[in-house]
Amino acid sequence: MATTTAVCRLAVLTPAPSPSPLASGRRRPAAPFSATSRPRALSAASRGRVLCLAASAPASSTDAGQDRLQKVPITNIRNFCIIAHIDHGKSTLADKLLEMTGTVQKRDMKQQFLDNMDLERERGITIKLQAARMRYVMNNEPYCLNLIDTPGHVDFSYEVSRSLAACEGALLVVDASQGVEAQTLANVYLALESNLEIIPVLNKIDLPGAEPDRIAQEIEEIIGLDCSNAIRCSAKEGIGITEILDAIVTKVPPPKDTLKNPLRALIFDSYYDAYRGVIVYFRVIDGSIRKGDKICFMANKKEYVADEIGVLSPNQMEADELHAGEVGYLSASIRSVADARVGDTITHFAKRAESALPGYSEATPMVFCGLFPLEADQFEELREALGRLQLNDAALKFEPESSSAMGFGFRCGFLGLLHMEIVQERLEREYNLNLIITAPSVVYRVNCSNNETVECSNPSLLPEPGKRRSIEEPYVKIELLTPKDYIGPIMELGQERRGEFKEMNYITENRAKLTYMLPLAEMVGDFFDQLKSRSKGYASMEYSVVGYRVSDLVKLDIQINGEPVEALSTIVHREKAYAVGRALTQKLKELIPRQMFKIPIQACIGAKVIASEALSAIRKDVLSKCYGGDISRKKKLLKKQAEGKKRMKAIGRVEVPQEAFMAVLKLEKEVL
């Protein structure tokens, strides 16, 4: 017992360490005899004994984390998010914040705690955003910190923008060894547009290749943020986490006190629960909401009763009331995700707000492809799986489609290529489906001769040449960040993909930013793979859709034995039509089995053949039984054979095997 007492007295009487010179410029007030000065220095058991002996000392942050439902003044609420490029340590930092504040106990902790899907853990990316409420004590004052963990990829930028609208501050996490990347810039610009307080954090300072001084200077030069007080940390080792928490409290402004105004709450996420219906994640901007209130969604005027409300910490914890500034969830027996769209505004049914919160818009799919089951009897399973997945992912759009080659399937719309890959993998993993996926295409706008505009996501829907006046395709503004050694190969890639060079800026001595205007259709193939290959993995990219432009586009048809195969039709630029047609016809010649008659394989634009291959016939030796005799006998047999082949070619059908379609679709993704 004597030993225990000695340890406890030492812990109580040890002066608080001075703040690290690497922390933010603010100096923490001295607390020379506080038991909470060094919460990480003691084990859980020792800390408990310290609190027993020093009953007058305040509870530590970790212990306070267990009282997350306790109300705090609105001036003590901090709403923040973490923005970073992929693999810069965003999820690891979120894990450490949850652990340090006692929100998640150490025994329950696991890596990427907020990433619930196996796919997120394997790829190391955040696909669905999550929220977590933490309680933190600083200078004996309890604070409520609401972390909204956002995806980092451009395909989910709409979700990111809604998350930023629900916050007042953001941690800008930059890898101290890699520096500023393209998606870091994009998300910072979104945060600046939302007037957020940005706290720069240099992560991974424990790595041998870390150069925090150089990276801090890079952030100042590229983004213009003052990094003289940038926090240097290692989320993996737990270095600098306390400084980050203190900076959130001192630098992020509290929400505005609008408790007396009519209720307005911003929906920043929703998902479908099989038992409770749609669960809505929201941030209360004005007023308050209580359990049992009758609410209304302002975009579609749907009315519901709030059966259950609560906070996310990170698991759902029920509460009776949430007021302005707080973040929580709501369950109201909503059966359709379409009724609770991300970006919509919740208000009271009886006392409605005059106007909705700004920024609501429908998520518009930009990339389309066909999904077909490998086995025809899985069509209904695929329909059911897509329906369920759409309840969790409101951005997914699909409609039935039939193909003479692949049977019945669905035409699906996605926000981008990563979104398409994620949906495909989730369908195959979670619903045990084997799928064939056609080459991705974009939405074209066709200006018809009768002054109508038709949106076309499938080559089979393209109007006849005589009915269309022009075709417009979507363009993107793409920003490429690369070391200066790879500028040449990347500019060559941009020129190959019909890119329009805009500008090049040296953001630092060794790194440059290239800006191109590029057709989206040129990017949905292997553009990203080519970029990484030509830059040895060092370049990064960010893009945004800027609108439509008229282009010289044509429909390329593939004809086998004179019959068009609709499943292999594509829309391509006229300059690339010959190369694509030649590649497809050569590949089909290798894959289609030979028949008893000659098979022409042609790539056509309208009635004009631009590339052609011929599959020679299997020739039966009809002269084998003729030994000697008159030549007229042999001529008669050959003539009879020729007539039979002519008749076979007229009435015969060429069956293109499934393997050939799959190989050609893979080839289309490479050559388009």
Side-chain angles (χ1 to χ4, degrees):
M1 184 63 191
T3 306
T4 304
T5 306
V7 172
C8 294
R9 284 174 182 161
L10 180 63
V12 171
L13 298 176
T14 300
S18 59
S20 167
L22 302 180
S24 58
R26 186 190 58 78
R27 290 291 180 261
R28 209 180 320 168
F33 299 106
S34 171
T36 61
S37 298
R38 298 184 62 184
R40 284 186 293 138
L42 300 174
S43 67
S46 300
R47 186 165 59 250
R49 289 194 291 271
V50 170
L51 294 173
C52 289
L53 291 173
S56 59
S60 70
S61 298
T62 306
D63 295 328
Q66 306 306 311
D67 303 322
R68 298 185 292 280
L69 281 176
Q70 289 186 7
K71 295 290 183 183
V72 298
I74 196 169
T75 53
N76 286 12
I77 295 175
R78 302 289 185 270
N79 297 315
F80 71 100
C81 61
I82 304 175
I83 53 179
H85 188 76
I86 292 172
D87 200 32
H88 278 209
K90 176 164 63 70
S91 296
T92 308
L93 178 58
D95 291 347
K96 194 59 71 172
L97 293 176
L98 294 175
E99 185 181 336
M100 286 291 293
T101 55
T103 306
V104 179
Q105 295 301 310
K106 197 162 188 176
R107 62 177 177 270
D108 301 324
M109 203 63 198
K110 59 184 177 181
Q111 288 187 351
Q112 293 173 257
F113 188 88
L114 293 178
D115 294 341
N116 297 326
M117 287 191 285
D118 292 337
L119 205 53
E120 291 179 310
R121 296 177 178 281
E122 288 176 17
R123 287 177 171 250
I125 59 175
T126 301
I127 297 168
K128 291 299 291 179
L129 60 83
Q130 299 289 336
R133 175 171 171 147
M134 299 175 283
R135 189 174 175 87
Y136 181 63
V137 175
M138 177 179 165
N139 298 335
N140 300 334
E141 188 79 18
Y143 290 88
C144 173
L145 311 182
N146 289 311
L147 162 65
I148 300 176
D149 187 29
T150 59
H153 198 273
V154 62
D155 283 7
F156 310 108
S157 59
Y158 180 69
E159 282 191 56
V160 174
S161 67
R162 296 303 87 216
S163 303
L164 296 177
C167 300
E168 281 82 32
L171 297 178
L172 171 62
V173 178
V174 180
D175 190 323
S177 59
Q178 295 184 31
V180 176
E181 301 283 1
Q183 287 167 19
T184 313
L185 280 177
N187 289 336
V188 165
Y189 294 150
L190 284 175
L192 291 173
E193 287 173 11
S194 301
N195 296 318
L196 300 192
E197 179 68 32
I198 298 176
I199 303 172
V201 175
L202 304 179
N203 193 19
K204 303 186 182 181
I205 60 169
D206 58 312
L207 294 181
E211 299 177 89
D213 293 332
R214 181 180 67 81
I215 302 302
Q217 183 182 353
E218 192 174 285
I219 295 173
E220 289 185 350
E221 291 176 357
I222 298 174
I223 303 174
L225 290 176
D226 180 14
C227 289
S228 57
N229 295 323
I231 302 172
R232 307 187 183 194
C233 79
S234 168
K236 185 177 179 182
E237 300 296 330
I239 302 169
I241 304 301
T242 305
E243 286 81 358
I244 291 175
L245 289 167
D246 291 352
I248 293 168
V249 170
T250 55
K251 294 185 177 180
V252 176
K256 295 179 181 177
D257 189 356
T258 54
L259 186 59
K260 295 180 181 178
N261 295 355
L263 171 66
R264 288 198 304 174
L266 175 71
I267 301 174
F268 60 82
D269 195 20
S270 64
Y271 76 95
Y272 188 81
D273 185 280
Y275 300 101
R276 298 186 294 167
V278 178
I279 307 298
V280 175
Y281 293 175
F282 63 92
R283 150 80 193 274
V284 184
I285 305 295
D286 301 326
S288 63
I289 181 172
R290 295 183 63 87
K291 181 178 178 180
D293 284 354
K294 191 171 183 180
I295 58 171
C296 173
F297 296 108
M298 298 188 74
N300 51 26
K301 313 300 182 189
K302 294 293 178 82
E303 301 158 9
Y304 291 96
V305 174
D307 301 327
E308 178 187 332
I309 64 170
V311 300
L312 300 150
S313 190
N315 299 321
Q316 294 176 1
M317 302 171 69
E318 285 193 53
D320 293 328
E321 182 182 12
L322 295 176
H323 56 72
E326 292 191 289
V327 175
Y329 73 93
L330 177 148
S331 172
S333 301
I334 306 168
R335 288 295 159 192
S336 172
V337 169
D339 292 350
R341 292 285 189 180
V342 172
D344 199 355
T345 303
I346 303 172
T347 188
H348 279 134
F349 174 74
K351 189 181 178 183
R352 300 194 184 194
E354 293 181 2
S355 60
L357 294 164
Y360 174 73
S361 62
E362 289 280 345
T364 306
M366 294 305 302
V367 176
F368 285 80
C369 76
L371 289 180
F372 296 88
L374 197 59
E375 304 294 335
D377 57 357
Q378 286 190 329
F379 175 74
E380 287 300 328
E381 294 177 34
L382 177 58
R383 183 200 297 275
E384 185 179 346
L386 282 169
R388 289 184 182 178
L389 200 58
Q390 192 180 44
L391 293 173
N392 284 288
D393 185 356
L396 173 65
K397 303 283 190 298
F398 66 93
E399 59 183 22
E401 180 185 34
S402 62
S403 165
S404 58
M406 287 170 283
F408 293 98
F410 293 91
R411 191 78 181 167
C412 301
F414 309 94
L415 297 176
L417 282 177
L418 178 67
H419 189 205
M420 184 182 80
E421 288 180 26
I422 296 301
V423 169
Q424 175 199 345
E425 286 202 37
R426 290 187 67 183
L427 286 170
E428 291 178 344
R429 287 184 182 207
E430 298 174 20
Y431 301 98
N432 297 319
L433 296 170
N434 294 318
L435 302 174
I436 301 172
I437 299 170
T438 64
S441 63
V442 299
V443 183
Y444 297 96
R445 287 181 182 168
V446 183
N447 300 314
C448 301
S449 52
N450 59 359
N451 294 327
E452 289 186 0
T453 301
V454 179
E455 290 198 344
C456 175
S457 62
N458 193 340
S460 63
L461 302 176
L462 197 67
E464 293 298 321
K467 296 181 180 179
R468 58 181 188 246
R469 195 171 66 248
S470 62
I471 304 177
E472 298 179 7
E473 64 177 334
Y475 264 70
V476 295
K477 178 184 178 183
I478 182 168
E479 294 179 345
L480 306 163
L481 266 67
T482 176
K484 64 179 182 180
D485 298 341
Y486 307 109
I487 291 175
I490 289 177
M491 292 185 74
E492 185 181 330
L493 175 64
Q495 298 299 327
E496 288 175 3
R497 300 304 173 95
R498 295 193 286 132
E500 180 186 325
F501 178 74
K502 285 296 181 185
E503 62 177 357
M504 180 177 72
N505 296 321
Y506 275 88
I507 52 180
T508 64
E509 184 180 344
N510 295 314
R511 299 184 76 199
K513 181 175 79 169
L514 304 173
T515 305
Y516 275 90
M517 300 294 285
L518 196 77
L520 181 59
E522 296 287 345
M523 218 188 69
V524 298
D526 62 341
F527 184 88
F528 185 70
D529 295 338
Q530 286 290 326
L531 175 68
K532 288 297 182 183
S533 174
R534 298 187 187 210
S535 66
K536 298 182 180 178
Y538 286 105
S540 60
M541 59 176 265
E542 177 71 22
Y543 70 91
S544 58
V545 179
V546 293
Y548 279 76
R549 288 190 189 180
V550 174
S551 295
D552 188 10
L553 301 171
V554 294
K555 181 184 178 184
L556 181 68
D557 290 312
I558 301 295
Q559 292 187 357
I560 299 176
N561 197 28
E563 294 186 10
V565 183
E566 202 63 52
L568 298 178
S569 298
T570 54
I571 298 174
V572 297
H573 195 270
R574 192 180 295 275
E575 291 179 357
K576 299 185 72 174
Y578 173 75
V580 175
R582 171 62 63 195
L584 293 178
T585 52
Q586 289 178 346
K587 193 69 176 178
L588 283 169
K589 182 181 178 182
E590 297 173 11
L591 297 169
I592 295 176
R594 291 171 66 191
Q595 307 291 323
M596 297 297 292
F597 53 92
K598 185 179 179 181
I599 303 173
I601 304 170
Q602 301 166 320
C604 311
I605 299 175
K608 182 181 178 182
V609 177
I610 62 168
S612 178
E613 293 287 342
L615 196 62
S616 59
I618 300 173
R619 185 174 182 272
K620 182 180 178 181
D621 189 3
V622 294
L623 303 180
S624 60
K625 58 184 178 181
C626 295
Y627 51 94
D630 190 61
I631 189 65
S632 60
R633 173 66 178 161
K634 296 180 181 179
K635 286 183 176 180
K636 184 178 179 181
L637 289 172
L638 290 171
K639 185 178 179 182
K640 187 177 179 181
Q641 184 187 41
E643 289 175 355
K645 286 185 179 291
K646 187 176 180 181
R647 188 165 58 251
M648 287 171 66
K649 185 173 182 178
I651 65 173
R653 287 180 57 84
V654 180
E655 294 292 335
V656 182
Q658 197 79 46
E659 295 78 14
F661 274 107
M662 295 175 71
V664 170
L665 292 174
K666 185 178 179 182
L667 179 68
E668 281 184 356
K669 294 177 186 178
E670 296 172 359
V671 300
L672 287 180

